[in-house]
Short mmCIF file of all heavy atoms in Angstrom, two decimals:
data_model
loop_
_atom_site.label_atom_id
_atom_site.label_comp_id
_atom_site.label_asym_id
_atom_site.label_seq_id
_atom_site.Cartn_x
_atom_site.Cartn_y
_atom_site.Cartn_z
N PHE A 18 0.86 -1.17 0.04
CA PHE A 18 -0.01 0.01 0.08
C PHE A 18 0.89 1.22 -0.01
O PHE A 18 1.72 1.41 0.85
CB PHE A 18 -0.91 0.02 1.22
CG PHE A 18 -1.78 -1.23 1.36
CD1 PHE A 18 -1.31 -2.25 2.07
CD2 PHE A 18 -3.03 -1.23 0.63
CE1 PHE A 18 -2.20 -3.29 2.20
CE2 PHE A 18 -3.70 -2.41 0.80
CZ PHE A 18 -3.33 -3.39 1.66
N GLY A 19 0.69 2.20 -0.95
CA GLY A 19 1.46 3.44 -1.05
C GLY A 19 2.45 3.36 -2.07
O GLY A 19 2.23 2.77 -3.19
N ARG A 20 3.59 3.90 -1.81
CA ARG A 20 4.58 4.12 -2.83
C ARG A 20 5.38 2.76 -3.25
O ARG A 20 5.66 2.08 -2.32
CB ARG A 20 5.60 5.08 -2.38
CG ARG A 20 6.60 5.54 -3.46
CD ARG A 20 7.57 6.65 -2.99
NE ARG A 20 8.33 7.26 -4.00
CZ ARG A 20 9.25 8.07 -3.83
NH1 ARG A 20 9.78 8.26 -2.58
NH2 ARG A 20 9.96 8.64 -4.88
N SER A 21 5.52 2.49 -4.41
CA SER A 21 6.21 1.26 -4.92
C SER A 21 6.86 1.52 -6.25
O SER A 21 6.69 2.55 -6.81
CB SER A 21 5.25 0.09 -4.96
OG SER A 21 4.35 0.28 -5.92
N ILE A 22 7.65 0.51 -6.67
CA ILE A 22 8.33 0.63 -7.93
C ILE A 22 7.74 -0.14 -8.97
O ILE A 22 7.30 -1.35 -8.83
CB ILE A 22 9.74 0.03 -7.79
CG1 ILE A 22 10.56 0.96 -6.85
CG2 ILE A 22 10.57 0.13 -9.19
CD1 ILE A 22 11.99 0.38 -6.57
N ASP A 23 7.47 0.57 -10.11
CA ASP A 23 6.78 -0.21 -11.30
C ASP A 23 7.85 -0.98 -12.06
O ASP A 23 8.82 -0.48 -12.50
CB ASP A 23 6.20 0.85 -12.29
CG ASP A 23 5.44 0.25 -13.42
OD1 ASP A 23 5.50 -0.99 -13.62
OD2 ASP A 23 4.71 0.95 -14.06
N PRO A 24 7.65 -2.27 -12.14
CA PRO A 24 8.69 -3.19 -12.70
C PRO A 24 8.82 -2.95 -14.20
O PRO A 24 9.86 -3.39 -14.71
CB PRO A 24 8.22 -4.62 -12.33
CG PRO A 24 6.71 -4.49 -12.12
CD PRO A 24 6.50 -3.17 -11.58
N GLN A 25 7.87 -2.37 -14.76
CA GLN A 25 7.86 -2.15 -16.22
C GLN A 25 8.82 -0.81 -16.52
O GLN A 25 9.62 -0.82 -17.53
CB GLN A 25 6.55 -1.99 -16.88
CG GLN A 25 5.74 -3.26 -16.75
CD GLN A 25 4.35 -3.14 -17.40
OE1 GLN A 25 3.92 -2.01 -17.67
NE2 GLN A 25 3.64 -4.23 -17.47
N THR A 26 8.56 0.18 -15.81
CA THR A 26 9.26 1.44 -16.04
C THR A 26 10.35 1.70 -15.01
O THR A 26 11.17 2.69 -15.24
CB THR A 26 8.27 2.71 -15.97
OG1 THR A 26 7.64 2.69 -14.68
CG2 THR A 26 7.03 2.50 -17.05
N ASN A 27 10.45 1.05 -13.88
CA ASN A 27 11.43 1.16 -12.89
C ASN A 27 11.32 2.56 -12.27
O ASN A 27 12.37 3.05 -11.88
CB ASN A 27 12.80 0.95 -13.45
CG ASN A 27 13.76 0.52 -12.32
OD1 ASN A 27 13.40 -0.06 -11.32
ND2 ASN A 27 15.05 0.91 -12.53
N THR A 28 10.09 3.14 -12.15
CA THR A 28 9.90 4.36 -11.55
C THR A 28 8.86 4.23 -10.29
O THR A 28 8.17 3.23 -10.32
CB THR A 28 9.28 5.47 -12.47
OG1 THR A 28 7.93 4.73 -13.02
CG2 THR A 28 10.30 5.64 -13.73
N TYR A 29 8.98 5.12 -9.38
CA TYR A 29 8.14 5.11 -8.34
C TYR A 29 6.72 5.64 -8.60
O TYR A 29 6.61 6.53 -9.48
CB TYR A 29 8.73 6.03 -7.12
CG TYR A 29 9.91 5.39 -6.45
CD1 TYR A 29 11.15 5.69 -6.83
CD2 TYR A 29 9.66 4.40 -5.47
CE1 TYR A 29 12.19 5.15 -6.10
CE2 TYR A 29 10.77 3.81 -4.85
CZ TYR A 29 12.12 4.18 -5.19
OH TYR A 29 13.04 3.65 -4.55
N PHE A 30 5.70 5.18 -8.01
CA PHE A 30 4.36 5.54 -8.06
C PHE A 30 3.56 5.00 -6.99
O PHE A 30 4.04 4.21 -6.28
CB PHE A 30 3.72 5.14 -9.44
CG PHE A 30 3.45 3.68 -9.55
CD1 PHE A 30 2.15 3.11 -9.37
CD2 PHE A 30 4.53 2.75 -9.73
CE1 PHE A 30 1.88 1.78 -9.52
CE2 PHE A 30 4.25 1.32 -9.67
CZ PHE A 30 2.89 0.94 -9.64
N ASN A 31 2.58 5.74 -6.79
CA ASN A 31 1.59 5.51 -5.61
C ASN A 31 0.36 4.71 -6.08
O ASN A 31 -0.56 5.21 -6.73
CB ASN A 31 1.25 6.74 -4.87
CG ASN A 31 2.36 7.44 -4.23
OD1 ASN A 31 3.29 6.84 -3.70
ND2 ASN A 31 2.25 8.83 -4.24
N THR A 32 0.27 3.49 -5.59
CA THR A 32 -0.96 2.62 -5.83
C THR A 32 -0.85 1.54 -4.99
O THR A 32 0.33 1.03 -4.35
CB THR A 32 -0.96 2.26 -7.39
OG1 THR A 32 -2.18 1.61 -7.57
CG2 THR A 32 0.26 1.43 -7.62
N THR A 33 -1.89 0.65 -4.94
CA THR A 33 -1.83 -0.65 -4.33
C THR A 33 -1.45 -1.72 -5.25
O THR A 33 -1.95 -1.81 -6.36
CB THR A 33 -3.33 -0.92 -3.65
OG1 THR A 33 -3.64 0.16 -2.76
CG2 THR A 33 -3.32 -2.25 -2.91
N SER A 34 -0.52 -2.62 -4.77
CA SER A 34 -0.07 -3.71 -5.69
C SER A 34 -0.09 -4.92 -4.96
O SER A 34 0.03 -5.08 -3.65
CB SER A 34 1.27 -3.38 -6.17
OG SER A 34 2.28 -3.25 -5.09
N PHE A 35 -0.11 -6.01 -5.66
CA PHE A 35 -0.13 -7.42 -5.14
C PHE A 35 1.08 -8.12 -5.68
O PHE A 35 1.36 -8.03 -7.04
CB PHE A 35 -1.36 -8.23 -5.51
CG PHE A 35 -1.29 -9.61 -5.17
CD1 PHE A 35 -1.33 -10.07 -3.78
CD2 PHE A 35 -1.03 -10.73 -6.23
CE1 PHE A 35 -1.19 -11.41 -3.48
CE2 PHE A 35 -0.94 -11.92 -5.88
CZ PHE A 35 -1.08 -12.37 -4.55
N HIS A 36 1.91 -8.83 -5.00
CA HIS A 36 3.16 -9.48 -5.49
C HIS A 36 3.08 -10.90 -4.98
O HIS A 36 2.78 -11.16 -3.82
CB HIS A 36 4.47 -8.72 -5.00
CG HIS A 36 4.59 -7.40 -5.46
ND1 HIS A 36 5.49 -7.07 -6.50
CD2 HIS A 36 4.11 -6.23 -4.95
CE1 HIS A 36 5.36 -5.75 -6.78
NE2 HIS A 36 4.64 -5.27 -5.77
N ASN A 37 3.48 -11.78 -5.89
CA ASN A 37 3.57 -13.28 -5.68
C ASN A 37 4.82 -13.78 -6.21
O ASN A 37 5.02 -13.64 -7.47
CB ASN A 37 2.26 -13.95 -6.13
CG ASN A 37 2.10 -15.43 -5.71
OD1 ASN A 37 1.46 -16.15 -6.41
ND2 ASN A 37 2.74 -15.77 -4.65
N ASN A 38 5.64 -14.56 -5.44
CA ASN A 38 6.90 -15.10 -5.97
C ASN A 38 6.98 -16.51 -5.64
O ASN A 38 6.52 -17.03 -4.52
CB ASN A 38 8.03 -14.32 -5.26
CG ASN A 38 9.42 -14.77 -5.84
OD1 ASN A 38 10.07 -15.70 -5.40
ND2 ASN A 38 9.93 -14.01 -6.78
N TYR A 39 7.58 -17.29 -6.57
CA TYR A 39 7.88 -18.77 -6.33
C TYR A 39 9.34 -18.97 -6.65
O TYR A 39 9.88 -18.51 -7.61
CB TYR A 39 6.97 -19.60 -7.33
CG TYR A 39 5.44 -19.36 -7.10
CD1 TYR A 39 4.93 -18.36 -7.86
CD2 TYR A 39 4.85 -20.13 -6.13
CE1 TYR A 39 3.44 -18.15 -7.68
CE2 TYR A 39 3.47 -19.90 -5.91
CZ TYR A 39 2.80 -18.95 -6.68
OH TYR A 39 1.48 -18.70 -6.54
N GLY A 40 9.95 -20.04 -5.90
CA GLY A 40 11.45 -20.30 -6.13
C GLY A 40 11.78 -21.68 -5.67
O GLY A 40 11.21 -22.10 -4.72
N VAL A 41 12.81 -22.27 -6.23
CA VAL A 41 13.34 -23.55 -5.87
C VAL A 41 14.84 -23.38 -5.91
O VAL A 41 15.29 -22.79 -7.02
CB VAL A 41 12.92 -24.63 -6.76
CG1 VAL A 41 13.61 -25.99 -6.34
CG2 VAL A 41 11.34 -24.75 -6.63
N SER A 42 15.49 -23.72 -4.91
CA SER A 42 17.09 -23.64 -5.00
C SER A 42 17.69 -24.90 -4.41
O SER A 42 17.08 -25.64 -3.60
CB SER A 42 17.43 -22.56 -3.90
OG SER A 42 17.04 -22.65 -2.66
N ALA A 43 18.89 -25.23 -4.87
CA ALA A 43 19.69 -26.35 -4.42
C ALA A 43 21.14 -25.97 -4.12
O ALA A 43 21.66 -25.14 -4.92
CB ALA A 43 19.54 -27.53 -5.37
N GLY A 44 21.68 -26.58 -3.14
CA GLY A 44 23.16 -26.23 -2.92
C GLY A 44 23.96 -27.41 -2.45
O GLY A 44 23.28 -28.30 -1.78
N TYR A 45 25.14 -27.44 -2.72
CA TYR A 45 25.97 -28.65 -2.39
C TYR A 45 27.41 -28.16 -2.07
O TYR A 45 27.97 -27.27 -2.88
CB TYR A 45 26.01 -29.61 -3.39
CG TYR A 45 26.80 -30.87 -3.06
CD1 TYR A 45 26.22 -31.78 -2.26
CD2 TYR A 45 28.05 -31.15 -3.44
CE1 TYR A 45 26.91 -32.99 -1.79
CE2 TYR A 45 28.78 -32.27 -3.10
CZ TYR A 45 28.28 -33.26 -2.29
OH TYR A 45 28.88 -34.29 -1.94
N ASP A 46 27.81 -28.51 -0.91
CA ASP A 46 29.32 -28.02 -0.61
C ASP A 46 30.32 -28.94 -1.16
O ASP A 46 30.41 -30.08 -0.90
CB ASP A 46 29.49 -28.12 0.99
CG ASP A 46 28.57 -27.10 1.69
OD1 ASP A 46 28.32 -26.03 1.10
OD2 ASP A 46 28.08 -27.35 2.80
N LEU A 47 31.10 -28.43 -2.14
CA LEU A 47 32.04 -29.26 -2.85
C LEU A 47 33.34 -29.50 -1.93
O LEU A 47 33.97 -30.52 -1.98
CB LEU A 47 32.51 -28.49 -4.07
CG LEU A 47 31.49 -28.17 -5.14
CD1 LEU A 47 32.01 -27.51 -6.35
CD2 LEU A 47 30.96 -29.46 -5.69
N PHE A 48 33.55 -28.55 -1.05
CA PHE A 48 34.64 -28.79 -0.11
C PHE A 48 34.42 -27.91 1.09
O PHE A 48 34.19 -26.68 1.09
CB PHE A 48 35.99 -28.21 -0.72
CG PHE A 48 37.15 -28.33 0.15
CD1 PHE A 48 37.84 -29.69 0.35
CD2 PHE A 48 37.72 -27.35 0.92
CE1 PHE A 48 38.91 -29.81 1.27
CE2 PHE A 48 38.80 -27.43 1.78
CZ PHE A 48 39.34 -28.71 1.90
N ASP A 49 34.30 -28.61 2.16
CA ASP A 49 33.99 -28.02 3.48
C ASP A 49 34.98 -28.29 4.65
O ASP A 49 34.80 -28.41 5.68
CB ASP A 49 32.67 -28.34 3.93
CG ASP A 49 32.45 -29.84 4.14
OD1 ASP A 49 33.44 -30.58 3.83
OD2 ASP A 49 31.38 -30.23 4.70
N GLY A 50 36.29 -28.55 4.16
CA GLY A 50 37.35 -29.03 5.06
C GLY A 50 37.13 -30.35 5.59
O GLY A 50 37.48 -30.77 6.71
N PHE A 51 36.54 -31.25 4.71
CA PHE A 51 36.34 -32.64 5.12
C PHE A 51 35.37 -32.77 6.33
O PHE A 51 35.34 -33.93 7.00
CB PHE A 51 37.59 -33.46 5.23
CG PHE A 51 38.53 -33.43 4.15
CD1 PHE A 51 39.65 -32.60 4.19
CD2 PHE A 51 38.20 -34.12 2.97
CE1 PHE A 51 40.54 -32.70 2.96
CE2 PHE A 51 39.08 -34.22 1.89
CZ PHE A 51 40.21 -33.39 1.96
N LYS A 52 34.70 -31.73 6.64
CA LYS A 52 33.73 -31.82 7.73
C LYS A 52 32.70 -32.96 7.61
O LYS A 52 32.39 -33.77 8.52
CB LYS A 52 33.11 -30.53 7.98
CG LYS A 52 32.17 -30.40 9.13
CD LYS A 52 31.58 -29.01 9.28
CE LYS A 52 30.75 -28.96 10.58
NZ LYS A 52 30.08 -27.57 10.68
N ALA A 53 32.02 -32.92 6.46
CA ALA A 53 30.93 -33.91 6.09
C ALA A 53 31.49 -35.47 6.20
O ALA A 53 30.92 -36.43 6.66
CB ALA A 53 30.36 -33.68 4.79
N VAL A 54 32.67 -35.59 5.68
CA VAL A 54 33.41 -36.86 5.56
C VAL A 54 33.59 -37.39 7.01
O VAL A 54 33.34 -38.55 7.38
CB VAL A 54 34.64 -36.88 4.68
CG1 VAL A 54 35.34 -38.20 4.84
CG2 VAL A 54 34.22 -36.62 3.25
N ASN A 55 34.40 -36.52 7.69
CA ASN A 55 34.59 -36.85 9.18
C ASN A 55 33.36 -36.94 10.05
O ASN A 55 33.31 -37.91 10.98
CB ASN A 55 35.57 -35.82 9.80
CG ASN A 55 36.91 -35.80 9.27
OD1 ASN A 55 37.40 -36.98 8.86
ND2 ASN A 55 37.62 -34.77 9.26
N ASN A 56 32.42 -36.20 9.87
CA ASN A 56 31.12 -36.48 10.53
C ASN A 56 30.48 -37.84 10.26
O ASN A 56 29.93 -38.40 11.21
CB ASN A 56 30.13 -35.33 10.18
CG ASN A 56 30.50 -33.98 10.80
OD1 ASN A 56 31.29 -34.00 11.80
ND2 ASN A 56 29.78 -32.93 10.41
N LEU A 57 30.59 -38.32 9.07
CA LEU A 57 30.11 -39.56 8.78
C LEU A 57 30.87 -40.71 9.53
O LEU A 57 30.40 -41.65 10.02
CB LEU A 57 30.11 -39.80 7.24
CG LEU A 57 29.61 -41.25 6.78
CD1 LEU A 57 28.17 -41.46 7.26
CD2 LEU A 57 29.76 -41.38 5.25
N LYS A 58 32.26 -40.52 9.52
CA LYS A 58 33.08 -41.49 10.20
C LYS A 58 32.76 -41.42 11.67
O LYS A 58 32.70 -42.50 12.36
CB LYS A 58 34.57 -41.17 10.00
CG LYS A 58 34.95 -41.42 8.43
CD LYS A 58 36.47 -41.07 8.38
CE LYS A 58 36.91 -41.33 6.92
NZ LYS A 58 38.35 -40.91 6.75
N ILE A 59 32.58 -40.23 12.29
CA ILE A 59 32.28 -40.07 13.67
C ILE A 59 31.06 -40.66 13.98
O ILE A 59 30.72 -41.31 15.12
CB ILE A 59 32.31 -38.60 14.07
CG1 ILE A 59 33.73 -38.05 13.95
CG2 ILE A 59 31.75 -38.22 15.40
CD1 ILE A 59 33.86 -36.55 14.18
N SER A 60 29.98 -40.52 13.26
CA SER A 60 28.61 -41.07 13.40
C SER A 60 28.69 -42.64 13.40
O SER A 60 28.03 -43.25 14.15
CB SER A 60 27.59 -40.61 12.42
OG SER A 60 28.00 -40.93 11.16
N LYS A 61 29.51 -43.19 12.47
CA LYS A 61 29.60 -44.63 12.38
C LYS A 61 30.21 -45.10 13.68
O LYS A 61 29.82 -46.16 14.30
CB LYS A 61 30.42 -45.03 11.19
CG LYS A 61 29.73 -44.83 9.84
CD LYS A 61 30.53 -45.33 8.88
CE LYS A 61 29.71 -45.20 7.33
NZ LYS A 61 30.58 -45.61 6.14
#
């Protein structure tokens, strides 16, 4: 409610807007100082 940025013109204007966002992310540690490897050994 109030001032916001128009994504089409990238300028400010005063109006009521509705925004809805969706996202999916994935991450993997390629090297973490062998922490995961040692944690597996410790757990065993």
Side-chain angles (χ1 to χ4, degrees):
F18 304 94
R20 195 177 187 190
S21 62
I22 298 177
D23 187 345
Q25 295 179 348
T26 63
N27 202 30
T28 60
Y29 287 99
F30 70 105
N31 293 324
T32 187
T33 300
S34 61
F35 171 76
H36 296 262
N37 185 205
N38 185 273
Y39 302 89
V41 177
S42 62
Y45 185 78
D46 294 328
L47 297 179
F48 180 76
D49 61 352
F51 302 107
K52 181 178 180 180
V54 175
N55 285 337
N56 284 345
L57 179 59
K58 294 179 179 179
I59 290 172
S60 65
K61 289 181 178 180

